[in-house]
Amino acid sequence: MTGIRLTAPAPGWAIDADVVVVGSGVAGLTTALRCAAAGLDTVVVTKARLDDGSTRWAQGGIAAALGEGDTPEQHLDDTLVAGAGLCDEEAVRTLVTEGPDAVRRLITTGAHFDTTDSGDIALTREGGHHRRRIAHAGGDATGAEISRALVEAVREAALHTIENALVLDLLTDAEGRTAGVSLHVMGEGQHDGVGAVRAPSVVLATGGMGQVFSATTNPSVSTGDGVALALRAGAEVSDLEFVQFHPTVLFLGADSEGQQPLVSEAVRGEGAHLVDATGTRFMAGQHELAELAPRDIVAKAITRQMHEHGTEHMYLDARHFGARMWEQRFPTILAACRAHGIDPVTEPIPVAPAAHYASGGIRTDLRGRTTVPGLYACGEVACTGVHGANRLASNSLLEGLVFAERIAADIAETRPPRTEPARSTDGEPVALLAPETRTAIQRTMTRGAGVLRSAGSLAAAAEELEALHRTAAADADAADPKDAVPGVDSWEVTNLLLVSRVLVAAAREREETRGCHWREDRPDRDDAHWRRHLVVRIAADRTPVVHRTETAAFPPVRPAD
């Protein structure tokens, strides 16, 4: 254990459970439902409302080999290609073989997918897929439908839920095994203030960390809380440098910050073209799949065109769809575009890449176990080895489903006993940052560790982040400290800084271009030296320690029993 924890009041209340699941997206709610069905006393903790996570923003769909002629083997091949040599093949095979039945179980839970006239599930294509295998709902509202079905099932099962609660730190017993979490409830519900859920199994399903960048498709709650908690608890993270930038995000202006509207890859899957200001297509000839190349290739191509033309965006042209197709197939995107003064029925959509998905995260095995006994991770917060250096489109919801079921099965099988949390006395709580530091972190990350990176830009970002870290620590040690007051805003920005420091440390180490990771000064992929994973942990002195694996094999996770 690191002995590192957030500065926060001691828990003023506590409840006991067998399992606490942190997060209410597809990964968290699926885990919770399966655990409860196995007879485990399960508590769900979520940062906002149950339906406010990243899942409900997912537009495109969920990938699985459900169509005639498609096979898990073909899905595996497409996933391995997208992952640029760093996927764990066993993890991918688990995903694609268990995925179709997991989707069918989701349907029995109550999710309704779009169907063809014959009643079969309607399937579309997205980038990197050689077949139509993306199931969707409400045209482009797949995540919203999945979230609706799971939230409804959770409420029907009468699971204990704690909404509007920010998880703070992992609680451990005297042996260093998981014993629950501390959390802060934001003034609503039956609990208030800092408390604890004491449980021998903790499942982190907290989603992504897109808010480390100025512009992202992620909701405002995606501040890397799960990764930060795990790092402070001594867990290892892997492949955190691989941040996927979605190529087609609605461009709202160079100064726009925060969550940006996504223009789903499914729009290109249905035949939209990427063009420059003259209407010239630029993806044809760059990749065999043209606009449907893997996301990293499309994002790089758009960025390259922007640099060559001296512009801040390119265009996605789908005027040939016509009004009827836009209204029926992509009603959510149509409404978002029109709300910002763009009518895709009559004009091309201005688009630019923005931070979208963390391909890396907390390192787990195929049962979702991390390197901390009793701590599990699932969904975007985890690194199972499925995504490698670049996630294949619409594999994220599927990963959440498949590995959530595996985690629940493992907890139900082991049923660890409850133990008493032991308050850590090692070291001092981490110094909190003032909430206004958030913008500085985001701009530093966007400038130095965005789509285009170099040794110089990453070194500058590292120094700026370390300066913020040093300033906060020095102020906390001052005779008259002016450090931030404990609270949601200061806890979030402190999490953002930790995650940013670790991401930049890994990105500086990886001296090549691979998958999501694009180094201007190292433009080539170097399999001989860099077909390796980077594993990072936080030392007791708060510094990131980066370890490069000796082979391309995803390193095993061996938590103590």
Side-chain angles (χ1 to χ4, degrees):
M1 305 300 291
T2 65
I4 305 172
R5 61 186 187 280
L6 287 174
T7 298
W13 53 269
I15 59 175
D16 294 313
D18 296 321
V19 185
V20 56
V21 177
V22 186
S24 60
V26 62
L29 295 188
T30 300
T31 304
L33 286 167
R34 295 293 184 272
C35 284
L40 295 163
D41 184 4
T42 305
V43 174
V44 176
V45 174
T46 188
K47 194 172 178 180
R49 298 189 307 272
L50 276 181
D51 61 354
D52 269 347
S54 294
T55 291
R56 78 180 180 97
W57 297 99
Q59 294 175 345
I62 184 166
L66 297 165
E68 184 178 352
D70 197 6
T71 63
E73 199 68 26
Q74 294 175 66
H75 189 181
L76 179 141
D77 289 343
D78 286 345
T79 301
L80 295 180
V81 169
L86 284 184
C87 295
D88 177 68
E89 187 166 337
E90 185 181 1
V92 178
R93 193 170 297 281
T94 298
L95 178 83
V96 299
T97 55
E98 297 181 12
D101 283 343
V103 172
R104 294 182 184 103
R105 283 189 288 273
L106 179 62
I107 292 171
T108 63
T109 302
H112 301 293
F113 289 95
D114 296 336
T115 57
T116 64
D117 292 340
S118 61
D120 296 325
I121 295 175
L123 301 172
T124 190
R125 256 182 90 194
E126 291 184 355
H129 293 272
H130 283 78
R131 283 190 174 272
R132 286 182 169 264
R133 65 168 66 96
I134 316 300
H136 48 83
D140 58 357
T142 311
E145 170 58 18
I146 290 174
S147 180
R148 179 208 62 78
L150 291 172
V151 168
E152 196 170 289
V154 163
R155 287 179 173 149
E156 286 180 358
L159 265 66
H160 188 160
T161 61
I162 304 176
E163 297 179 281
N164 302 296
L166 173 65
V167 67
L168 300 176
D169 281 307
L170 189 73
L171 302 176
T172 55
D173 62 19
E175 304 301 320
R177 183 180 171 82
T178 293
V181 291
S182 59
L183 64 156
H184 174 78
V185 181
M186 296 171 252
E188 297 184 28
Q190 58 183 312
H191 306 291
D192 194 11
V194 175
V197 180
R198 298 181 298 211
S201 297
V202 171
V203 182
L204 296 178
T206 52
M209 55 186 188
Q211 291 292 326
V212 302
F213 295 97
S214 296
T216 177
T217 61
N218 290 188
S220 61
V221 295
S222 298
T223 50
D225 307 316
V227 171
L229 176 150
L231 284 165
R232 286 193 298 272
E236 295 178 346
V237 301
S238 184
D239 303 341
L240 212 64
E241 69 273 27
F242 295 117
V243 177
Q244 186 177 84
F245 289 79
H246 198 289
T248 54
V249 176
L250 183 62
F251 181 74
L252 300 181
D255 297 327
S256 60
E257 296 181 338
Q259 187 177 10
Q260 313 286 301
L262 176 66
V263 182
S264 171
E265 198 153 317
V267 177
R268 281 176 281 136
E270 296 292 351
H273 302 143
L274 284 164
V275 299
D276 60 22
T278 68
T280 302
R281 290 180 66 183
F282 55 84
M283 283 305 300
Q286 294 205 29
H287 189 276
E288 61 166 336
L289 296 176
E291 278 88 357
L292 287 178
R295 288 179 178 174
D296 62 308
I297 293 171
V298 180
K300 291 170 188 174
I302 291 174
T303 304
R304 192 177 294 115
Q305 290 291 319
M306 287 161 51
H307 282 203
E308 290 178 3
H309 289 262
T311 60
E312 295 173 323
H313 61 83
M314 288 286 113
Y315 293 92
L316 187 64
D317 192 351
R319 289 174 290 178
H320 55 285
F321 284 6
R324 182 178 176 83
M325 181 171 174
W326 267 111
E327 290 164 0
Q328 292 186 348
R329 180 68 178 85
F330 301 110
T332 308
I333 299 170
L334 178 64
C337 288
R338 285 177 170 170
H340 292 283
I342 304 294
D343 188 350
V345 177
T346 61
E347 59 188 315
I349 306 167
V351 293
H356 182 58
Y357 190 88
S359 292
I362 306 166
R363 203 159 72 78
T364 77
D365 63 10
L366 297 186
R367 290 186 279 175
R369 302 182 303 174
T370 73
T371 51
V372 175
L375 179 65
Y376 297 78
C378 190
E380 188 173 357
V381 74
C383 183
T384 61
V386 159
H387 304 309
N390 182 43
R391 174 175 68 87
L392 181 65
S394 289
N395 268 358
S396 51
L397 293 175
L398 190 70
E399 183 193 33
L401 270 184
V402 168
F403 287 91
E405 293 185 344
R406 288 180 146 256
I407 287 171
D410 190 72
I411 296 173
E413 178 184 338
T414 57
R415 294 183 181 264
R418 298 178 186 179
T419 56
E420 191 68 23
R423 178 69 175 177
S424 173
T425 57
D426 298 333
E428 292 295 321
V430 65
L432 299 179
L433 275 74
E436 54 268 25
T437 313
R438 182 172 181 145
T439 300
I441 293 171
Q442 291 171 330
R443 291 177 178 173
T444 291
M445 291 297 290
T446 297
R447 187 168 54 245
V451 178
L452 290 173
R453 304 169 180 177
S454 67
S457 75
L458 289 166
E463 176 52 37
E464 290 170 23
L465 295 172
E466 290 307 313
L468 293 172
H469 177 68
R470 289 193 301 268
T471 299
D475 187 62
D477 291 337
D480 182 23
K482 300 175 182 177
D483 53 320
V485 176
V488 173
D489 291 341
S490 58
W491 288 323
E492 281 188 335
V493 73
T494 302
N495 286 338
L496 284 173
L497 179 61
L498 175 57
V499 171
S500 296
R501 291 172 64 221
V502 171
L503 192 160
V504 169
R508 293 184 74 184
E509 184 81 9
R510 183 169 291 281
E511 296 180 338
E512 65 158 356
T513 290
R514 179 186 298 272
C516 305
H517 186 81
W518 192 10
R519 284 279 296 257
E520 290 180 283
D521 54 341
R522 303 279 184 169
D524 299 320
R525 174 170 153 176
D526 181 1
D527 281 351
H529 299 95
W530 286 105
R531 193 170 170 231
R532 307 285 189 274
H533 298 276
L534 294 178
V535 177
V536 190
R537 61 178 178 83
I538 291 293
D541 65 358
R542 276 63 162 172
T543 58
V545 178
V546 184
H547 166 70
R548 177 167 54 164
T549 61
E550 295 181 0
T551 70
F554 195 66
V557 175
R558 298 188 182 93
D561 293 324

